[in-house]
Amino acid sequence: MEADANDTRPILIVTYRWIGDFVRGHTVVRVLKQRWPNRPVDLLSTSLCAPLVDYMPGVRSAVVWDLPRSRLVLGQQRALAAQLKARNYATALVLPRTWKSAIAPTLAGIPERVGFVGEARFGLINHWRWGEKALPRFIDRNAMLALPDGAPLPTEWPVPQLKVPLEEIGRWRQANELGTGAAVALAPGSVGSGKRWTYYPEATRLLTQKGLDVWVVGGPAEKALAAEIVAAGGSRVRDLTGTDLRNGILAMAAAAVAVSNDSGLMHVAAALGTPTMGIFGPTSPHLWGPLNGLAATIQTKTAVPCQPCHRPVCTMNDHRCMREIPASEVAAIAERVLSEAIEK
């Protein structure tokens, strides 16, 4: 694919709402910048994901707009379209397959609107792509929209990147009185209880007994679990959960090792280059793991016939895919990964 350095028309990417999917969308940015190095690229973002844009190389800015998921709200779509029109985009890549995701780019009059057929979006998408169902991986379905129509898929995509300045990490650690020592960051949350490993408190106790600092990272939904983890690990554990994703990004950037369920923070940590351990139960690491790779992929050694099921809530076999991963194994792997990271 030859680069066209002469084209300077701006591009909008209509992204996904979920943190992990938003991070993986940076691969689309990198493919676009290889193709058109001088076309500015903006991302349509929710307020939740907007802090990620500050650390994404190649992204000019975020257009921050929170549309409700279950309602059309045509007035808000028109208001968003007016903002998009003022930015004079020449191309919009609409990653989600939904009808609603293509409304504002259409009302804004963006001339080239690229996407899959999706929910019968005739008239909304005007540069169709086909064959989505033949592509098993999420990243293939999204990144191919950045390629010329009919171009073959590469053997490897450029991986997502998040880059945080060391000075910002230092200021964040100082503001939170976290010192300068190596710490293990835990991300015990996820979308759906089926993807949550339940032995984080026990693993934390084992880690702190080895003299390690532990940080609990997540959103408001993880506050109660963070309290359990702090109670299990004592004074070496800090609850860093909160409402600001920027805090989670900086925690993952500052940590020496991250341990996470299959969640958005797993993708954040991997894109930052932090050695990341992913705990997988109902989901497939091949399909849903980060392109960046993992320092360790942890799955039960027990054969569970329903795995993978990709269900948000376990309804079969008593959640054995997660329950039969012992805390001692996770703690031991975390120690090994931390030792390897320090040696580097």
Side-chain angles (χ1 to χ4, degrees), residues 32-343:
L32 285 174
K33 297 304 284 187
Q34 289 174 353
R35 184 178 177 187
W36 292 300
N38 293 319
R39 294 186 72 176
V41 177
D42 294 346
L43 303 182
L44 181 61
S45 170
T46 61
S47 55
L48 170 65
C49 291
L52 289 162
V53 174
D54 292 339
Y55 308 109
M56 286 183 164
V59 178
R60 180 178 67 174
S61 65
V63 180
V64 182
W65 203 273
D66 292 311
L67 292 169
R69 295 185 62 194
S70 57
R71 291 178 291 128
L72 179 58
V73 288
L74 194 54
Q76 289 189 40
Q77 292 277 9
R78 289 196 181 100
L80 172 58
Q83 189 173 136
L84 299 181
K85 187 177 181 64
R87 291 175 177 245
N88 200 32
Y89 294 112
T91 301
L93 267 61
V94 183
L95 305 189
R97 299 175 70 253
T98 62
W99 187 72
K100 287 194 300 182
S101 62
I103 292 176
T106 303
L107 293 176
I110 298 175
E112 182 182 42
R113 303 182 298 277
V114 184
F116 285 103
V117 175
E119 297 178 341
R121 301 186 292 183
F122 301 103
L124 300 179
I125 299 296
N126 60 8
H127 281 68
W128 295 105
R129 296 295 175 87
W130 307 84
E132 179 187 17
K133 293 182 179 179
L135 302 171
R137 295 193 307 166
F138 179 86
I139 190 59
D140 295 327
R141 295 193 293 270
N142 288 322
M144 74 164 293
L145 296 179
L147 297 175
D149 193 11
L153 298 185
T155 54
E156 292 185 2
W157 295 106
V159 300
Q161 292 179 334
L162 296 173
K163 295 187 179 296
V164 180
L166 291 176
E167 298 80 9
E168 187 172 355
I169 295 172
R171 290 194 299 269
W172 176 83
R173 292 190 74 139
Q174 186 174 21
N176 287 279
E177 299 180 343
L178 291 169
T180 58
V184 179
L186 306 181
S190 70
V191 177
S193 61
K195 294 194 289 184
R196 294 175 194 157
W197 185 62
T198 54
Y199 302 141
Y200 280 99
E202 184 178 346
T204 298
R205 179 178 55 80
L206 295 172
L207 290 169
T208 55
Q209 285 176 352
K210 297 287 188 177
L212 297 173
D213 290 335
V214 175
W215 302 340
V216 187
V217 185
E222 282 73 64
K223 273 292 179 187
L225 181 52
E228 290 182 38
I229 294 171
V230 170
S235 61
R236 300 198 73 103
V237 186
R238 285 289 302 273
D239 175 7
L240 298 177
T241 59
T243 57
D244 186 2
L245 178 59
R246 189 180 306 276
N247 186 67
I249 297 167
L250 291 168
M252 288 303 190
V257 172
V259 182
S260 178
N261 301 326
D262 177 7
S263 69
L265 284 173
M266 176 186 68
H267 290 276
V268 169
L272 286 163
T274 299
T276 305
M277 298 166 51
I279 304 176
F280 289 84
T283 53
S284 163
H286 170 68
L287 296 178
W288 298 104
L291 282 183
N292 309 73
L294 291 167
T297 300
I298 304 172
Q299 293 179 284
T300 180
K301 296 179 177 63
T302 307
V304 183
C306 55
Q307 188 183 25
C309 71
H310 298 274
R311 295 179 181 179
V313 179
C314 177
T315 58
M316 298 176 67
N317 294 306
D318 196 26
H319 207 202
R320 288 172 57 202
C321 65
M322 284 298 210
R323 283 195 313 103
E324 296 189 6
I325 299 173
S328 58
E329 178 183 348
V330 172
I333 295 173
E335 288 180 59
R336 173 178 60 78
V337 172
L338 178 58
S339 177
E340 292 171 354
I342 292 174
E343 288 176 2

